[in-house]
Amino acid sequence: LKIENKELNIKLNSLSIEELQEMLVNTQSELNKLKMNHKTAELENPLEIRFVRRNVARINTEIKKRQLQNTTN
């Protein structure tokens, strides 16, 4: 689990803002699908919702960090 987070962070650092925003849209839609499936039927792994939700937050954080860097430079 820890390794996945580090790999994701390394991957996020190498992406452009456009790629990050595209990834954010995809991840948010994945999260919405998981939530809907969880409401209608039991998910095989409900913890997956937590992982996807946290990935959305990580992507948002990286986008915000880049925007702040661009405004200060």
PDB file of all heavy atoms in Angstrom, residues 2-3 10-11 13 19 22-23 28 34 44-46 56 62 72:
ATOM      1  N   LYS A   2       1.877   1.286   0.858  1.00  0.00           N
ATOM      2  CA  LYS A   2       2.769   2.445   0.916  1.00  0.00           C
ATOM      3  C   LYS A   2       3.510   2.621  -0.410  1.00  0.00           C
ATOM      4  O   LYS A   2       3.689   3.719  -0.878  1.00  0.00           O
ATOM      5  CB  LYS A   2       3.788   2.281   2.051  1.00  0.00           C
ATOM      6  CG  LYS A   2       3.192   2.353   3.428  1.00  0.00           C
ATOM      7  CD  LYS A   2       3.107   3.781   3.883  1.00  0.00           C
ATOM      8  CE  LYS A   2       2.650   3.840   5.319  1.00  0.00           C
ATOM      9  NZ  LYS A   2       1.996   5.066   5.648  1.00  0.00           N
ATOM     10  N   ILE A   3       3.931   1.508  -0.992  1.00  0.00           N
ATOM     11  CA  ILE A   3       4.682   1.562  -2.241  1.00  0.00           C
ATOM     12  C   ILE A   3       3.820   2.155  -3.354  1.00  0.00           C
ATOM     13  O   ILE A   3       4.273   2.992  -4.121  1.00  0.00           O
ATOM     14  CB  ILE A   3       5.190   0.154  -2.627  1.00  0.00           C
ATOM     15  CG1 ILE A   3       6.175  -0.344  -1.572  1.00  0.00           C
ATOM     16  CG2 ILE A   3       5.841   0.174  -4.004  1.00  0.00           C
ATOM     17  CD1 ILE A   3       6.514  -1.813  -1.670  1.00  0.00           C
ATOM     18  N   ILE A  10       5.353   9.760  -7.542  1.00  0.00           N
ATOM     19  CA  ILE A  10       6.414   9.906  -8.536  1.00  0.00           C
ATOM     20  C   ILE A  10       5.794  10.111  -9.918  1.00  0.00           C
ATOM     21  O   ILE A  10       6.218  10.961 -10.689  1.00  0.00           O
ATOM     22  CB  ILE A  10       7.349   8.677  -8.523  1.00  0.00           C
ATOM     23  CG1 ILE A  10       8.148   8.651  -7.219  1.00  0.00           C
ATOM     24  CG2 ILE A  10       8.276   8.685  -9.728  1.00  0.00           C
ATOM     25  CD1 ILE A  10       8.866   7.347  -6.940  1.00  0.00           C
ATOM     26  N   LYS A  11       4.750   9.341 -10.207  1.00  0.00           N
ATOM     27  CA  LYS A  11       4.062   9.447 -11.491  1.00  0.00           C
ATOM     28  C   LYS A  11       3.424  10.827 -11.631  1.00  0.00           C
ATOM     29  O   LYS A  11       3.493  11.439 -12.695  1.00  0.00           O
ATOM     30  CB  LYS A  11       2.999   8.347 -11.593  1.00  0.00           C
ATOM     31  CG  LYS A  11       2.309   8.255 -12.918  1.00  0.00           C
ATOM     32  CD  LYS A  11       1.327   7.097 -12.917  1.00  0.00           C
ATOM     33  CE  LYS A  11       0.460   7.153 -14.153  1.00  0.00           C
ATOM     34  NZ  LYS A  11      -0.613   6.166 -14.115  1.00  0.00           N
ATOM     35  N   ASN A  13       4.338  13.637 -10.311  1.00  0.00           N
ATOM     36  CA  ASN A  13       5.367  14.658 -10.494  1.00  0.00           C
ATOM     37  C   ASN A  13       5.806  14.774 -11.944  1.00  0.00           C
ATOM     38  O   ASN A  13       6.193  15.843 -12.395  1.00  0.00           O
ATOM     39  CB  ASN A  13       6.586  14.352  -9.613  1.00  0.00           C
ATOM     40  CG  ASN A  13       6.292  14.592  -8.144  1.00  0.00           C
ATOM     41  OD1 ASN A  13       5.394  15.352  -7.809  1.00  0.00           O
ATOM     42  ND2 ASN A  13       7.031  13.928  -7.286  1.00  0.00           N
ATOM     43  N   GLU A  19      -2.416  16.747 -18.202  1.00  0.00           N
ATOM     44  CA  GLU A  19      -2.518  15.307 -17.957  1.00  0.00           C
ATOM     45  C   GLU A  19      -3.087  15.044 -16.561  1.00  0.00           C
ATOM     46  O   GLU A  19      -3.893  14.129 -16.377  1.00  0.00           O
ATOM     47  CB  GLU A  19      -1.147  14.638 -18.089  1.00  0.00           C
ATOM     48  CG  GLU A  19      -0.630  14.604 -19.514  1.00  0.00           C
ATOM     49  CD  GLU A  19       0.825  14.179 -19.604  1.00  0.00           C
ATOM     50  OE1 GLU A  19       1.624  14.578 -18.739  1.00  0.00           O
ATOM     51  OE2 GLU A  19       1.147  13.450 -20.553  1.00  0.00           O
ATOM     52  N   GLU A  22      -6.829  15.643 -16.660  1.00  0.00           N
ATOM     53  CA  GLU A  22      -7.489  14.527 -17.339  1.00  0.00           C
ATOM     54  C   GLU A  22      -7.555  13.313 -16.406  1.00  0.00           C
ATOM     55  O   GLU A  22      -8.590  12.649 -16.297  1.00  0.00           O
ATOM     56  CB  GLU A  22      -6.711  14.172 -18.611  1.00  0.00           C
ATOM     57  CG  GLU A  22      -7.359  13.092 -19.440  1.00  0.00           C
ATOM     58  CD  GLU A  22      -6.520  12.750 -20.656  1.00  0.00           C
ATOM     59  OE1 GLU A  22      -5.869  13.660 -21.213  1.00  0.00           O
ATOM     60  OE2 GLU A  22      -6.518  11.572 -21.042  1.00  0.00           O
ATOM     61  N   MET A  23      -6.461  13.062 -15.701  1.00  0.00           N
ATOM     62  CA  MET A  23      -6.407  11.955 -14.743  1.00  0.00           C
ATOM     63  C   MET A  23      -7.413  12.176 -13.619  1.00  0.00           C
ATOM     64  O   MET A  23      -8.061  11.238 -13.153  1.00  0.00           O
ATOM     65  CB  MET A  23      -4.990  11.840 -14.190  1.00  0.00           C
ATOM     66  CG  MET A  23      -4.710  10.619 -13.391  1.00  0.00           C
ATOM     67  SD  MET A  23      -2.970  10.619 -12.902  1.00  0.00           S
ATOM     68  CE  MET A  23      -2.891   9.070 -12.062  1.00  0.00           C
ATOM     69  N   GLN A  28     -12.205  10.708 -10.738  1.00  0.00           N
ATOM     70  CA  GLN A  28     -13.472  11.101 -10.120  1.00  0.00           C
ATOM     71  C   GLN A  28     -14.638  10.288 -10.679  1.00  0.00           C
ATOM     72  O   GLN A  28     -15.526   9.888  -9.928  1.00  0.00           O
ATOM     73  CB  GLN A  28     -13.726  12.598 -10.321  1.00  0.00           C
ATOM     74  CG  GLN A  28     -12.903  13.456  -9.392  1.00  0.00           C
ATOM     75  CD  GLN A  28     -13.075  14.936  -9.662  1.00  0.00           C
ATOM     76  OE1 GLN A  28     -13.306  15.348 -10.793  1.00  0.00           O
ATOM     77  NE2 GLN A  28     -12.934  15.741  -8.627  1.00  0.00           N
ATOM     78  N   LEU A  34     -17.877   3.605  -8.461  1.00  0.00           N
ATOM     79  CA  LEU A  34     -17.717   2.735  -7.289  1.00  0.00           C
ATOM     80  C   LEU A  34     -18.788   3.033  -6.241  1.00  0.00           C
ATOM     81  O   LEU A  34     -19.377   2.116  -5.668  1.00  0.00           O
ATOM     82  CB  LEU A  34     -16.329   2.926  -6.671  1.00  0.00           C
ATOM     83  CG  LEU A  34     -15.166   2.223  -7.346  1.00  0.00           C
ATOM     84  CD1 LEU A  34     -13.850   2.658  -6.713  1.00  0.00           C
ATOM     85  CD2 LEU A  34     -15.304   0.722  -7.251  1.00  0.00           C
ATOM     86  N   GLU A  44     -17.028  -5.838  -4.048  1.00  0.00           N
ATOM     87  CA  GLU A  44     -16.117  -6.913  -3.672  1.00  0.00           C
ATOM     88  C   GLU A  44     -15.108  -6.414  -2.643  1.00  0.00           C
ATOM     89  O   GLU A  44     -14.793  -7.088  -1.676  1.00  0.00           O
ATOM     90  CB  GLU A  44     -15.406  -7.424  -4.930  1.00  0.00           C
ATOM     91  CG  GLU A  44     -14.786  -8.787  -4.777  1.00  0.00           C
ATOM     92  CD  GLU A  44     -14.256  -9.306  -6.093  1.00  0.00           C
ATOM     93  OE1 GLU A  44     -15.055  -9.489  -7.029  1.00  0.00           O
ATOM     94  OE2 GLU A  44     -13.037  -9.500  -6.158  1.00  0.00           O
ATOM     95  N   ASN A  45     -14.602  -5.192  -2.881  1.00  0.00           N
ATOM     96  CA  ASN A  45     -13.632  -4.605  -1.958  1.00  0.00           C
ATOM     97  C   ASN A  45     -14.033  -3.150  -1.668  1.00  0.00           C
ATOM     98  O   ASN A  45     -13.643  -2.240  -2.397  1.00  0.00           O
ATOM     99  CB  ASN A  45     -12.227  -4.664  -2.581  1.00  0.00           C
ATOM    100  CG  ASN A  45     -11.163  -4.137  -1.642  1.00  0.00           C
ATOM    101  OD1 ASN A  45     -11.452  -3.815  -0.492  1.00  0.00           O
ATOM    102  ND2 ASN A  45      -9.947  -4.033  -2.126  1.00  0.00           N
ATOM    103  N   PRO A  46     -14.806  -2.922  -0.602  1.00  0.00           N
ATOM    104  CA  PRO A  46     -15.259  -1.563  -0.298  1.00  0.00           C
ATOM    105  C   PRO A  46     -14.121  -0.592   0.014  1.00  0.00           C
ATOM    106  O   PRO A  46     -14.273   0.615  -0.116  1.00  0.00           O
ATOM    107  CB  PRO A  46     -16.166  -1.722   0.923  1.00  0.00           C
ATOM    108  CG  PRO A  46     -16.197  -3.157   1.250  1.00  0.00           C
ATOM    109  CD  PRO A  46     -15.332  -3.911   0.314  1.00  0.00           C
ATOM    110  N   VAL A  56      -7.847  10.859  -5.690  1.00  0.00           N
ATOM    111  CA  VAL A  56      -8.431  12.123  -6.156  1.00  0.00           C
ATOM    112  C   VAL A  56      -7.809  13.281  -5.374  1.00  0.00           C
ATOM    113  O   VAL A  56      -7.403  14.289  -5.951  1.00  0.00           O
ATOM    114  CB  VAL A  56      -9.980  12.116  -5.998  1.00  0.00           C
ATOM    115  CG1 VAL A  56     -10.547  13.512  -6.187  1.00  0.00           C
ATOM    116  CG2 VAL A  56     -10.609  11.145  -6.972  1.00  0.00           C
ATOM    117  N   GLU A  62      -1.554  17.920  -6.058  1.00  0.00           N
ATOM    118  CA  GLU A  62      -0.480  18.160  -7.029  1.00  0.00           C
ATOM    119  C   GLU A  62      -0.843  19.313  -7.962  1.00  0.00           C
ATOM    120  O   GLU A  62      -0.015  20.178  -8.251  1.00  0.00           O
ATOM    121  CB  GLU A  62      -0.207  16.878  -7.820  1.00  0.00           C
ATOM    122  CG  GLU A  62       0.955  16.978  -8.769  1.00  0.00           C
ATOM    123  CD  GLU A  62       2.304  17.172  -8.086  1.00  0.00           C
ATOM    124  OE1 GLU A  62       2.495  16.708  -6.944  1.00  0.00           O
ATOM    125  OE2 GLU A  62       3.184  17.803  -8.707  1.00  0.00           O
ATOM    126  N   THR A  72       3.802  32.110  -7.967  1.00  0.00           N
ATOM    127  CA  THR A  72       4.925  32.722  -7.243  1.00  0.00           C
ATOM    128  C   THR A  72       6.103  32.980  -8.167  1.00  0.00           C
ATOM    129  O   THR A  72       6.921  33.848  -7.876  1.00  0.00           O
ATOM    130  CB  THR A  72       5.388  31.813  -6.071  1.00  0.00           C
ATOM    131  OG1 THR A  72       5.684  30.522  -6.568  1.00  0.00           O
ATOM    132  CG2 THR A  72       4.324  31.731  -4.991  1.00  0.00           C
TER     133      THR A  72
END
